[in-house]
Amino acid sequence: MPLVTTTKMFKDAYEGGYAVGAFNVNNMEMIQAIVEAANECKSPVILQVSAGARKYANPVYLKHLVAAAAETTDIPIAMHLDHGADFEICKASIDGGFTSVMIDASSKPWDENIAITKKVVEYAHAHGVVVEAELGKLAGIEDDVKVAASDAQFTSPDEVEEFTSKTGIDSLAIAIGTSHGAYKFKPGQDPKLRIDILEEIGKRLPGFPIVLHGASSVPQDQVAIINQFGGNMPNAIGIPESELRKAAKLAVCKINIDSDLRVAFTAAIRKHYVEHPDHFDPRQYLGDARANMKEIVKHKIINVLGSQNKA
Ligand code: G3H
Ligand code: 13P
Ligand code: ZN
């Protein structure tokens, strides 16, 4: 099935009280793990490409790998630019076949965020591509930029109507307590999302799809495997899956997950190396990594997103 935009995915998700997973991809095994999981769960899925992924893999390789994945399944797949930093990268992605782009000018002043976002929307819509933008500031690390928790800002519900109407965006990423990376909170903390802010934004923008970034939960069993087999990840916890489930039942239609996939991929490789010190064929350990990542994606689809059987 050819790649699709997120328009129908989000309408169905909004009405059905679930969210679509947006998973970051960097290589063939990751794309296969995500698409095989989504296919088995009959779930729509978004494959997203960050600046780091473009640098690592070359966008042309990623484009063709995603196209190959779409060709081998009938589930709806959107290819999305994650955290587009400026108009040029959004334009290049639109010209290169992405069906969805994010322009992330959330760190810029209000007027500038609106002006850049509007320019991307005009170009994207003229090419049949949808646009996500962001209001508010998440803590954590994204594309090597670290935002301290003290500098993070929740999205103000008072701003969302003006921002969406002035820019014409198709979905809005908001900050309600999620944060990027695998080290979000210390063990013992009890992280909660500001569901009250989400509900208020939902009232101000009825029917409008909301996006959550930084939604990894940092699976403790996988971190334990990494540390058991020679790793040294600090103890940390992520966003509780129960909190994400609540958000998915409300206006949140897209949930971004990257760090949890990395942890699962790495855990399987570390275990493989220790259990099979004689192996040197990359297909053996990458095969394990792919299989382990696939299980995490299936878990997210069934237990967090609720998007199984919605393809
Ligand atoms: O939000 C950031 C994503 O997790 C992508 O990170 O730039 O290291 O690929 P990356
Ligand atoms: P995590 O680091 O929590 O997986 O967030 C990923 C993300 O938001 C990608 O845009
Ligand atoms: Zn993000």
Side-chain angles (χ1 to χ4, degrees):
M1 177 172 175
L3 293 173
V4 297
T5 73
T6 54
T7 307
K8 185 174 181 313
M9 279 184 194
F10 288 170
K11 186 172 181 295
D12 292 348
Y14 196 99
E15 287 166 4
Y18 62 92
V20 180
F23 301 103
N24 287 71
V25 297
N26 296 278
N27 65 18
M28 182 187 77
E29 283 77 8
M30 290 174 162
I31 292 171
Q32 289 175 330
I34 297 161
V35 173
E36 280 174 23
N39 196 40
E40 282 176 23
C41 295
K42 298 187 176 35
S43 167
V45 73
I46 300 166
L47 302 177
Q48 57 186 12
V49 174
S50 69
R54 290 195 308 275
K55 204 160 128 195
Y56 172 77
N58 181 333
V60 180
Y61 278 79
L62 291 173
K63 172 186 161 171
H64 288 284
L65 287 169
V66 170
E71 202 180 309
T72 56
T73 173
D74 284 333
I75 56 165
I77 301 177
M79 184 172 177
H80 175 76
L81 171 70
D82 192 25
H83 294 284
D86 51 36
F87 175 77
E88 285 66 35
I89 184 59
C90 292
K91 179 179 182 301
S93 302
I94 293 163
D95 295 345
F98 281 63
T99 56
S100 172
V101 294
M102 176 189 192
I103 172 69
D104 184 1
S106 57
S107 60
K108 303 253 185 331
W110 172 258
D111 286 340
E112 220 177 308
N113 189 357
I114 289 187
I116 302 173
T117 303
K118 193 165 182 282
K119 190 173 169 193
V120 171
V121 168
E122 280 165 8
Y123 190 80
H125 286 182
H127 292 80
V129 170
V130 290
V131 180
E132 169 188 327
E134 181 168 319
L135 266 184
K137 219 184 268 180
L138 267 67
I141 300 173
E142 83 195 37
D143 285 339
D144 298 332
V145 180
K146 188 166 176 13
V147 179
S150 52
D151 291 332
Q153 284 161 13
F154 294 129
T155 305
S156 163
D158 290 338
E159 294 180 346
V160 298
E161 285 155 289
E162 188 182 347
F163 187 76
T164 51
S165 66
K166 282 194 168 157
T167 56
I169 52 169
D170 303 280
S171 60
L172 178 69
I174 62 168
I176 54 166
T178 58
S179 59
H180 287 106
Y183 308 120
K184 301 183 200 295
F185 302 98
K186 295 200 167 66
Q189 284 185 291
D190 182 22
K192 293 264 184 278
L193 296 182
R194 289 291 304 271
I195 297 290
D196 56 321
I197 298 181
L198 172 62
E199 282 173 335
E200 187 53 38
I201 291 173
K203 280 185 202 148
R204 308 281 182 108
L205 298 175
F208 195 83
I210 299 299
V211 177
L212 286 188
H213 282 247
S216 278
S217 301
V218 192
Q220 299 298 297
D221 58 334
Q222 300 298 311
V223 173
I225 291 170
I226 288 179
N227 290 342
Q228 181 190 343
F229 291 101
N232 187 17
M233 276 187 76
N235 273 340
I237 58 169
I239 312 297
E241 292 187 338
S242 54
E243 291 289 292
L244 297 165
R245 191 76 202 96
K246 279 187 221 163
K249 287 183 178 160
L250 297 168
V252 169
C253 296
K254 172 174 180 272
I255 293 188
N256 286 11
I257 298 169
D258 185 5
S259 301
D260 286 358
L261 308 189
R262 297 178 180 191
V263 167
F265 205 81
T266 301
I269 291 177
R270 280 206 173 273
K271 185 166 184 280
H272 190 106
Y273 284 162
V274 172
E275 289 181 348
H276 306 281
D278 55 323
H279 282 180
F280 59 90
D281 182 340
R283 292 173 295 189
Q284 293 170 314
Y285 53 85
L286 290 177
D288 274 7
R290 180 174 60 192
N292 201 37
M293 194 168 132
K294 179 175 163 184
E295 288 312 308
I296 286 272
V297 174
K298 283 171 84 169
H299 168 81
K300 298 287 178 187
I301 289 172
I302 295 165
N303 299 293
V304 180
L305 302 156
S307 64
Q308 73 277 25
N309 297 321
K310 308 290 186 188

